[in-house]
Amino acid sequence: MRCFTVLGPSQIGKSTLVERLSSLEGEPKKSVSPYGLAITEFEFGGEPWCALDVPGNSEAIPLAQDALLASDACVLPISPVLEEAVLAAPYLRVIEASGTPCILFVNRMDEPRGRLRDIVAALQDYCSRPLVLRQIPIRDGDKIIGSCDLISERAWRYREGQTSALFEIPESAAEREHEARAELLEHLSEFDDWLLEELIEDREPASETIYQISTRVLSENKIIPVLLGAASHSNGIMRLMKALRHESPHVEALRSRLAASAGIDESTLAAVGFHAHHRQSVGKTVIARALQNGVKQGATLGGAGLGALQDPANGRAMSSGISVAGQVFAAVKSDHLAVPSLLTANAAIAPPDWTTPPPPMFERILVPESERDENKLSETLAKLAETDRGLKVMQEEGTGAQMVCAQGPVHLRDVCRMLADVFHVTVTDRAPSPVYRETISKSADVHYRHRKQTGGAGQFADVKLSVHPNGRGEGFSFAETIKGGAVPRNFIPAVEAGAREAMDKGPLGFKAIDIGVVLTDGQHHSVDSSEHAFRTAGKLGVRQALSQAASVLLQPIFRVEIHVPSIHSGGLVPIVSTLKGQILGFDRDDAAKGWDIFRALVPGGALEDLARSLRSATQGIGYFSKSFDHFEELYGKEAQAIITAHSAQANEH
C-alpha cells in the first residue's frame, strides 16, 4: 500500500482534493478520527492507496507531523492568491524538517488572482529546496482553460468534472512554455551530470529520460515539483495522481529513512504508530502503518502482544493480519503502543526530534460540572495526553486545579468534546490566574513572645527577629546571632521552620520571596519551651515583622521566543510594547528558511493577550515558547486591582 499526506492551510480545498483523487477509479473507504484526521483508502493503477487528510487550522500542526511520520510522500495544496502564500510557510517548515518528498499543488486555478511564477517565488522564501514548475497554465484571456506539461510538452484542456483532453499548445503559450521548460531542465541538471552535459552540448534530451531524472530527484527529496489545477472541477487531478504513482517512493524508502533517524537496523523496524484516540466502550485505538509483512493479532510489537486489528477506514476486523507492507491498520487493546513511535518487535522507539509539536500557548483551567468527576478528570486528561502530544496537562499553582495547555481554542474544544462524549466528563473552562508573589521593601524588627497555658505543660517561646529584603532572585535566607544560650541550639531549627512557613502567605495574600530573617535574641523556659513553641513563635513573629516591612507586589516576567515568518517580525514591536513587554531583538531562524525568532520579556499576566494578538497578526501562523525569567515590582492602580481581586477570590473559598 502507498500512503501520502495532504496538508496545508484551511479553506484551500484539501478534502475536496482527496475526494477527487480517491474517486478516480472506484469508490473509496473513509473514516475521520475525533481529532479530525481523515483516513481514505482507495485503488489506483492496480495498487492500494491511503490518503491522510490533516485538518487545515494551524493548531493541527502536531497531527500533520505525526501523519508525515507514516507517509511516503505528501501533497501541499496552496492558494492561487499571492497574499495567501505565506499561510503555507508552517507546512513547508514541517515538510522540510521531516524529509518527506513533497508535491506542491496550486489549487483553485479556476479563480486566478495572480501570476503563478510570483506565487512560487513568494513560497521559495520559505523553502530551501527548489520549487520547480512542472506545468504552466494555458489562458484564454483572463480564464485558465488548461495546462501544459513541461516534460512531455503536451497541452491538456480542462473539462468540467472529467479528465482533461489533449489539444495543441496555443501559439500564445508557446514562448512561455519554452522558457519554463528551460528553467525546469536547468533545475534538474543541478542533480544529474548527464543532463547537464546534454544542455551544455545544446542537445534536446528525450522526455522519457527527463521523467526518470525527475522521479529520482523527487524520491531523493532534492526538489519540490509544482503542479496546478482545480479540485472542485476535477481539473489537474489525474496528472497529480499519476505523479504520485510514478514519482513518489515506496514504503521501503520510508523504512530506511525512519531507521536511519533512530539509528537502528531497518530489518527490525516493523511498523510506525502515528495516531491514536479513545472510543467509548472500546478504549484506546492506535493507528499504525506496517513497514513489513507479518504484523497480526497476537504478534509481539512494541514489546507486548498486539490486540485485535481493524481496517481504520471501515472498522472491519483484519483477521488475517497485514498481507501487504505499507498497509495502515488500527490496533485495539494495545495500550502499550505509544504514539507516535517507531515499533520493533521488542520496543517502541521515540520518534525523530522533528515530530516535537509547537509549544502549546493556550492555557485553561478545566472545571468539572459535577464534583464527583474531580478525580475522574485527572485520570482522563492523563489518557488524552498520552494520545495527543500537542496537549500538556498540569495543575494550577495554589489551587491544584486541572490545567491544560492546548494548541489553541479549536484544539481545546476537541479536548472538551472528547471528555464529554467518550469519558462522560462535562467541563467548563476559565483562564488561569497569573502567579504573583510579594516581598518587602524595608527592614523591620519584632519582639514576639508565644505563651500558652492549658493545664499540664504549657508553651513558651520568646524570640527577637529582624527581617530584611534580599536581592531579587536570592530567595529566603535565615541566620542567627544568639549569644549565651538565650535560645538553645536545638530550638533554632524550629524557629527557621516557622519563619519559612510564614513565607507561604504574606500581608498582601501572596507567597513571600527574597526575604532574609535573622534571629537576634530570645528567652526560653526549662519546662514549657519546646520545638513546637519556638516554631509557632518564629512563624507568628515573622508574620508580624512582614506587616511592618512595606510589602510590594511582584509580577512574573517571562522570556518568550516568538517564531514568525520574517514578513511579520516588524508587526511584533507594537504588540510587545502594548503589552508592556521589553524587546530583546530578533535573529534569523537557522532551522527554518524565511522565519525569524523574536525575543522579548513579557509580564505573565499578558501572555494570553500575546497569544491572541499573535494569532491575529500572523493569521494563526506564529507561535511562541516561554520560560520564567524573574519577578519584578508592580505598583499603582494595577497592583491594587490585583491585590483586591485576589483577596475577594480568597474570601469566596
Side-chain angles (χ1 to χ4, degrees):
M1 176 179 277
R2 313 279 291 281
C3 182
F4 63 93
T5 291
V6 179
L7 71 170
S10 58
Q11 307 301 315
I12 195 58
K14 295 189 306 301
S15 297
T16 302
L17 178 62
V18 172
E19 178 188 327
R20 298 303 168 91
L21 287 171
S22 61
S23 301
L24 286 170
E25 295 182 359
E27 288 294 322
K29 299 180 296 182
K30 177 181 176 181
S31 69
V32 182
S33 87
Y35 290 101
L37 177 69
I39 301 174
T40 304
E41 295 180 356
F42 61 99
E43 296 280 332
F44 181 81
E47 291 181 283
W49 289 80
C50 180
L52 306 175
D53 179 10
V54 180
N57 67 82
S58 58
E59 298 170 26
I61 288 289
L63 290 181
Q65 292 172 305
D66 293 348
L68 290 174
L69 191 64
S71 297
D72 304 316
C74 65
V75 178
L76 174 60
I78 63 165
S79 168
V81 181
L82 180 59
E83 293 76 18
E84 297 176 4
V86 68
L87 297 178
Y91 301 95
L92 282 169
R93 177 177 185 151
V94 168
I95 291 166
E96 289 220 311
S98 73
T100 307
C102 174
I103 296 176
L104 195 141
F105 184 75
V106 186
N107 198 17
R108 303 201 323 245
M109 287 297 289
D110 56 317
E111 45 179 90
R113 281 171 278 174
R115 296 195 314 169
L116 183 60
R117 68 179 76 181
D118 293 338
I119 295 167
V120 172
L123 282 174
Q124 189 66 72
D125 291 339
Y126 306 102
C127 187
S128 60
R129 284 178 285 164
L131 299 175
V132 181
L133 280 175
R134 287 281 300 273
Q135 295 173 301
I136 60 168
I138 296 177
R139 304 174 185 267
D140 184 2
D142 291 334
K143 184 179 179 182
I144 292 178
I145 61 170
S147 64
C148 178
D149 186 282
L150 296 178
I151 295 181
S152 65
E153 294 192 280
R154 293 191 292 180
W156 301 89
R157 183 186 295 274
Y158 293 148
R159 297 189 296 176
E160 182 66 30
Q162 304 178 55
T163 55
S164 304
L166 190 65
F167 78 123
E168 198 72 30
I169 300 178
E171 289 186 12
S172 59
E175 183 178 347
R176 171 62 184 138
E177 188 275 331
H178 290 311
E179 176 187 334
R181 177 178 166 84
E183 292 176 3
L184 167 65
L185 296 179
E186 184 177 339
H187 277 298
L188 293 178
S189 69
E190 295 178 13
F191 309 103
D192 190 274
D193 293 340
W194 175 85
L195 180 58
L196 178 62
E197 187 176 334
E198 292 293 291
L199 296 181
I200 292 173
E201 298 295 330
D202 203 23
R203 292 191 291 264
E204 185 65 26
S207 295
E208 285 303 315
T209 307
I210 300 175
Y211 273 123
Q212 292 172 7
I213 295 171
S214 178
T215 298
R216 177 178 58 79
V217 170
L218 174 61
S219 64
E220 293 175 355
N221 205 25
K222 298 291 182 58
I223 66 167
I224 295 181
V226 180
L227 304 178
L228 55 95
S232 60
H233 301 284
S234 296
N235 297 335
I237 298 301
M238 181 62 78
R239 181 69 194 89
L240 173 60
M241 195 63 224
K242 285 184 175 180
L244 284 168
R245 182 191 177 204
H246 293 297
E247 300 180 33
S248 63
H250 289 69
V251 68
E252 293 78 15
L254 173 65
R255 188 173 67 234
S256 297
R257 187 166 78 238
L258 294 179
S261 71
I264 61 175
D265 183 351
E266 70 175 271
S267 66
T268 66
L269 188 55
V272 52
F274 65 92
H275 190 63
H277 56 85
H278 291 271
R279 292 188 289 172
Q280 189 174 348
S281 304
V282 176
K284 179 179 173 182
T285 298
V286 175
I287 312 297
R289 189 177 183 210
L291 302 179
Q292 297 187 28
N293 297 336
V295 177
K296 58 184 178 181
Q297 181 175 344
T300 303
L301 186 67
L306 266 181
L309 304 189
Q310 298 176 347
D311 186 326
N314 58 22
R316 293 178 181 172
M318 302 172 69
S319 53
S320 59
I322 303 303
S323 57
V324 181
Q327 194 164 356
V328 176
F329 63 92
V332 296
K333 300 188 184 305
S334 303
D335 291 2
H336 66 284
L337 296 180
V339 173
S341 63
L342 309 183
L343 302 170
T344 66
N346 300 316
I349 301 168
D353 290 342
W354 59 262
T355 62
T356 303
M361 302 186 299
F362 197 65
E363 297 183 348
R364 278 294 183 273
I365 303 298
L366 298 186
V367 183
E369 289 188 356
S370 170
E371 288 186 9
R372 66 175 181 271
D373 287 336
E374 286 279 359
N375 292 333
K376 191 176 180 182
L377 177 61
S378 175
E379 296 172 3
T380 53
L381 284 175
K383 289 181 179 180
L384 290 180
E386 285 180 6
T387 60
D388 182 357
R389 289 210 305 168
L391 178 71
K392 301 298 180 187
V393 178
M394 60 195 72
Q395 291 184 320
E396 184 182 33
E397 183 176 323
T399 68
Q402 291 296 320
M403 184 166 77
V404 297
C405 301
Q407 296 291 317
V410 175
H411 186 202
L412 179 69
R413 284 199 297 271
D414 288 342
V415 170
C416 293
R417 188 185 69 248
M418 278 184 280
L419 285 172
D421 293 349
V422 179
F423 300 102
H424 307 295
V425 178
T426 304
V427 297
T428 57
D429 68 275
R430 63 171 175 82
S433 302
V435 179
Y436 294 100
R437 296 284 186 263
E438 62 178 273
T439 191
I440 55 176
S441 57
K442 67 177 186 180
S443 299
D445 299 323
V446 67
H447 179 193
Y448 189 86
R449 173 171 291 180
H450 174 66
R451 176 184 290 167
K452 191 173 183 181
Q453 191 71 41
T454 57
Q459 295 181 30
F460 179 86
D462 185 290
V463 292
K464 289 184 179 181
L465 299 163
S466 176
V467 300
H468 61 271
N470 281 341
R472 192 66 60 242
E474 291 183 7
F476 173 82
S477 64
F478 181 84
E480 53 85 14
T481 57
I482 296 296
K483 295 180 180 178
V487 176
R489 288 286 162 191
N490 57 312
F491 291 147
I492 291 176
V495 178
E496 179 180 355
R500 288 184 181 275
E501 283 185 34
M503 299 296 139
D504 290 343
K505 186 178 181 181
L508 303 181
F510 302 92
K511 186 174 182 179
I513 62 171
D514 297 339
I515 294 173
V517 177
V518 180
L519 173 62
T520 59
D521 201 355
Q523 296 181 49
H524 73 285
H525 188 275
S526 59
V527 175
D528 292 343
S529 290
S530 64
E531 287 188 7
H532 176 72
F534 272 97
R535 184 173 185 146
T536 302
K539 178 180 178 179
L540 299 181
V542 169
R543 280 187 177 176
Q544 182 177 321
L546 292 178
S547 67
Q548 302 169 10
S551 295
V552 178
L553 183 67
L554 297 175
Q555 67 172 342
I557 302 297
F558 286 83
R559 181 178 293 267
V560 297
E561 288 193 350
I562 307 173
H563 297 253
V564 292
S566 302
I567 61 171
H568 291 305
S569 291
L572 296 180
V573 174
I575 291 176
V576 172
S577 299
T578 301
L579 299 176
K580 300 181 180 179
Q582 177 186 347
I583 298 166
L584 302 177
F586 68 93
D587 300 300
R588 297 292 184 189
D589 188 344
D590 293 335
K593 184 182 178 185
W595 287 69
D596 287 342
I597 300 177
F598 190 97
R599 298 179 176 85
L601 295 175
V602 177
L607 290 175
E608 184 172 351
D609 289 335
L610 174 62
R612 188 182 303 111
S613 299
L614 183 60
R615 282 196 299 269
S616 176
T618 65
Q619 297 178 278
I621 294 176
Y623 66 92
F624 68 82
S625 59
K626 66 174 184 177
S627 59
F628 173 77
D629 194 80
H630 66 279
F631 282 102
E632 71 175 25
E633 294 85 353
L634 188 62
Y635 299 97
K637 293 181 179 179
E638 186 178 356
Q640 190 56 51
I642 292 169
I643 295 168
T644 302
H646 181 76
S647 177
Q649 187 178 18
N651 291 334
E652 288 178 6
H653 297 291

